[in-house]
Amino acid sequence: MDKKSEILAVSRAVLELTRIGDDDLDRMLEHLCQLLPGLPGMCVQNRAVLLLPNIDGVLTQVAQHGLLPVWLQPKGEPEKAEPLRRATVLTLSESRPVLHFAELDDTSRCFALPVWQGGRLLLFIAPDWQPDAVDHEFMEDLARALSVIILRTLANEALRVREIELEEARTDAIRRLGAASEYRDNETGMHVMRMSHFASSIAKALGLPPEQRELLAICAPMHDVGKIGIPDAILLKPGKLSEDEFRIMQTHTDIGSRLLTGDDSLILAAREIAESHHERWDGSGYPHGLAGERIPLLARICAVSDVFDALTSSRPYKQPWPVSDAVAWIRQQSGSHFDPAVVAAFDRALPEILRIRELYRDDIIDPNQSLLLPEITLHDSQWVSWDESYNIGIDVIDAHHHYLFDLTNDLFEVVSQKRGGREVMRVLRALDQYAQVHFRAEERMMAHWGYTGLELQQSQHAEFENRLRAFYEAMHVNPLTTQFDVLVYLRQWLVFHIVHEDGRLRSQLRRDRQET
């Protein structure tokens, strides 16, 4: 078989890639690098990288084979980094109307195949190889075939993002209804946020799959939706309820069950939580006296989360318990009030739960407050690691920043493990919620305690929130590049803002303490 016939045969094999339903672009490059070196006279190396333009038109690395991914590349200046990183800032010369070479350094050359909307697939080749007309013709066909694969992958990811938006619109009404019930007897509304995040942490410690954890996160705020039907005279009573009043208060579980009617999976889960989160493991709870595993699992998780936050929070009729006393009581109630497995998961999740409690607090942060929080279990992959130099001297703010580092590492795991646009959007939503809560709490603290530089902090906070919204919108246009843009932005912002800007808070705090 002559060279042209062999290239034609391999071309057919490459075109078969367009029929494969796999959207893994790294695997596509791996297949290419297995096919191409077998061609006669075509000196293609076992290295390739796919660069696609982001919403700003900057080429962004989205897939690779035989080379480092974005998150493992050097953080220094591009000219000091490896050739692959430099490729993202090249001005690629157009020596042919369709195809051209890109010089990376003295020893590396590559075919730069033009793909989807100005993207480039860089196929590394031997330094001394001079491709002929047949080689160029093959590469042109290859570029067209790969563009089809890239476009299909992009369309599939964009569709998943759209599906998330539809789900978000569907769940928004549920969240708003839960918030409406909460605001009737909780001035700040933070209880429902704390309790929901506690529940998610416990579910994660239990090993529940991501889909079930997401369902819980959406539906947990509905646990007390039935309080909408409880009279204010009882709901807002500052003292202890009478027996008759308590019986009326108990009906909020039945009211919640009646409100949440329908066969939708979210509604079903929300109804189970609203109806059963006051059931007890030993059968002594209400409204139906369910016991053991007859109580829905999500309701069992919400029971621990709800009670722990209620115990450690101020109410018109009581002072908050010390955290240590509340934790001890939860443990004591294992096997009677609570599912022992859920209590064990609560124990494992406690370091994260205590940090969540500090993030979603009701009161103004006291910069002199000392926290004794347990060590938190690190992610398996620490892309950004906490350094003691990041401590700004305000324990509560440091706890908030730890939480941001956790979210950043969550995003890293989602991107590096190629879980797709759905999971990226989930972390983006969590980051947006974090920013709103943390920034407002930090600004209230600075205003209350007279910190200078408040306006600068507010402008930087607004810039961060605007960038998150821009990333959220960009996920609809090109989810393949946006996830990497978010990662890079977060790593840069974390160090700059915490070390340089929040570090000014630390300096002023030290001056204030010295003066007093």
Side-chain angles (χ1 to χ4, degrees):
M1 183 183 297
D2 60 24
K3 177 179 177 180
K4 191 165 186 176
S5 298
E6 288 199 28
I7 289 180
L8 180 61
V10 177
S11 295
R12 293 193 183 102
V14 171
L15 288 173
E16 283 297 313
L17 290 173
T18 63
R19 302 180 184 179
I20 299 175
D22 190 353
D23 288 339
D24 191 329
L25 295 177
D26 290 312
R27 195 149 42 231
M28 178 198 75
L29 295 185
E30 181 183 357
H31 291 330
L32 275 179
C33 290
Q34 292 171 349
L35 285 169
L36 298 181
L39 295 177
M42 186 172 286
C43 303
V44 177
Q45 298 178 350
N46 193 31
R47 295 188 298 163
V49 62
L50 178 61
L51 308 170
L52 296 180
N54 65 10
I55 58 172
D56 298 320
V58 177
L59 289 177
T60 301
Q61 179 183 336
V62 299
Q64 60 284 315
H65 174 69
L67 295 159
L68 291 179
V70 167
W71 50 84
L72 293 180
Q73 292 175 24
K75 302 177 187 178
E77 295 300 320
E79 62 272 11
K80 298 178 182 178
E82 62 177 289
L84 172 59
R85 186 169 170 81
R86 292 174 55 194
T88 64
V89 296
L90 286 176
T91 300
L92 301 175
S93 61
E94 299 283 351
S95 59
R96 289 173 60 89
V98 177
L99 190 71
H100 53 266
F101 288 96
E103 298 285 349
L104 296 181
D105 57 19
D106 294 337
T107 60
S108 297
R109 298 169 70 229
C110 64
F111 264 115
L113 278 63
V115 291
W116 176 83
Q117 292 191 354
R120 295 290 185 270
L121 174 62
L122 305 183
L123 289 174
F124 285 73
I125 62 175
D128 56 351
W129 181 40
Q130 295 300 323
D132 58 24
V134 175
D135 298 324
H136 277 279
E137 182 181 353
F138 167 74
M139 288 294 181
E140 291 169 4
D141 291 340
L142 177 61
R144 285 190 286 271
L146 296 180
S147 290
V148 172
I149 298 174
I150 293 165
L151 180 60
R152 183 192 65 199
T153 301
L154 185 62
N156 288 342
E157 279 298 301
L159 180 61
R160 294 183 186 107
V161 170
R162 289 294 181 186
E163 289 173 350
I164 297 248
E165 281 218 314
L166 291 174
E167 290 183 12
E168 186 69 14
R170 183 174 58 132
T171 59
D172 187 57
I174 292 179
R175 289 196 183 98
R176 288 177 183 273
L177 187 58
S181 64
E182 177 63 22
Y183 274 107
R184 288 195 63 216
D185 68 340
N186 188 310
E187 187 174 279
T188 67
M190 285 295 184
H191 164 69
V192 72
M193 300 181 76
R194 287 192 298 266
M195 175 266 180
S196 300
H197 284 283
F198 294 168
S200 295
S201 298
I202 293 171
K204 186 176 181 180
L206 268 175
L208 267 61
E211 298 79 13
Q212 201 167 5
R213 298 203 306 265
E214 186 173 6
L215 188 66
L216 175 61
I218 294 168
C219 297
M222 299 296 291
H223 66 290
D224 276 340
V225 66
K227 287 183 178 180
I228 287 177
I230 302 299
D232 284 349
I234 295 175
L235 187 66
L236 304 180
K237 183 177 179 179
K240 185 178 180 180
L241 299 179
S242 68
E243 290 186 9
D244 288 341
E245 289 170 336
F246 184 65
R247 279 194 293 269
I248 293 173
M249 177 66 82
Q250 287 180 317
T251 64
H252 80 276
T253 56
D254 294 320
I255 295 170
S257 177
R258 293 197 301 271
L259 283 173
L260 297 166
T261 58
D263 296 329
D264 182 275
S265 60
L266 288 175
I267 295 295
L268 289 172
R271 183 164 69 241
E272 286 184 344
I273 291 170
E275 185 176 27
S276 302
H277 71 287
H278 283 292
E279 300 286 2
R280 299 191 177 195
W281 185 255
D282 62 6
S284 63
Y286 65 89
H288 303 302
L290 301 179
E293 294 186 357
R294 290 185 61 200
I295 306 169
L297 176 58
L298 300 188
R300 284 178 259 155
I301 294 172
C302 286
V304 173
S305 306
D306 187 35
V307 170
F308 177 71
D309 190 67
L311 291 176
T312 56
S313 300
S314 296
R315 290 291 185 268
Y317 51 85
K318 76 171 189 69
Q319 292 297 313
W321 286 24
V323 169
S324 58
D325 291 351
V327 170
W329 191 86
I330 294 288
R331 291 169 178 163
Q332 185 184 43
Q333 295 297 310
S334 176
S336 55
H337 192 144
F338 304 121
D339 178 353
V342 174
V343 174
F346 166 82
D347 264 336
R348 293 193 295 273
L350 191 57
E352 183 176 352
I353 286 172
L354 295 182
R355 282 169 172 79
I356 291 168
R357 183 173 173 271
E358 293 304 326
L359 177 61
Y360 296 99
R361 59 192 295 153
D362 295 310
D363 55 342
I364 294 175
I365 295 169
D366 181 353
N368 298 313
Q369 180 184 1
S370 296
L371 297 179
L372 295 175
L373 298 176
E375 291 293 326
I376 197 163
T377 303
L378 299 177
H379 285 66
D380 294 334
S381 302
Q382 282 284 296
W383 188 58
V384 289
S385 299
W386 184 264
D387 186 279
E388 289 305 311
S389 65
Y390 298 156
N391 288 324
I392 69 167
I394 302 175
D395 284 5
V396 176
I397 298 298
D398 288 334
H400 288 198
H401 289 163
H402 272 285
Y403 194 74
L404 178 56
F405 271 63
D406 288 341
L407 287 174
T408 302
N409 283 315
D410 282 344
L411 181 63
F412 163 72
E413 290 182 7
V414 166
V415 174
S416 63
Q417 295 175 17
K418 296 180 282 191
R419 296 182 193 166
R422 179 185 185 87
E423 287 298 297
V424 173
M425 292 288 276
R426 178 187 64 80
V427 181
L428 276 177
R429 287 201 302 268
L431 280 166
D432 182 62
Q433 186 180 74
Y434 164 85
Q436 292 182 44
V437 173
H438 166 64
F439 290 156
R440 302 299 85 79
E442 198 173 54
E443 290 163 7
R444 286 196 302 272
M445 177 199 71
M446 289 188 286
H448 181 81
W449 296 95
Y451 283 102
T452 58
L454 172 59
E455 290 186 3
L456 177 61
Q457 286 272 353
Q458 288 174 323
S459 66
Q460 292 187 352
H461 292 168
E463 190 272 341
F464 182 87
E465 291 176 282
N466 289 336
R467 285 299 297 270
L468 283 185
R469 283 191 285 271
F471 286 136
Y472 195 89
E473 293 302 318
M475 283 291 294
H476 299 82
V477 180
N478 192 338
L480 297 180
T481 60
T482 302
Q483 57 187 322
F484 298 105
D485 290 339
V486 180
L487 270 182
V488 172
Y489 176 76
L490 281 177
R491 181 163 63 181
Q492 294 171 344
W493 194 89
L494 283 174
V495 174
F496 173 78
H497 188 78
I498 292 176
V499 174
H500 297 287
E501 296 305 324
D502 285 347
R504 297 179 184 179
L505 294 178
R506 174 175 53 193
S507 298
Q508 183 174 342
L509 175 66
R510 287 174 176 170
R511 289 197 303 270
D512 292 346
R513 284 176 175 171
Q514 289 172 356
E515 292 173 0
T516 56

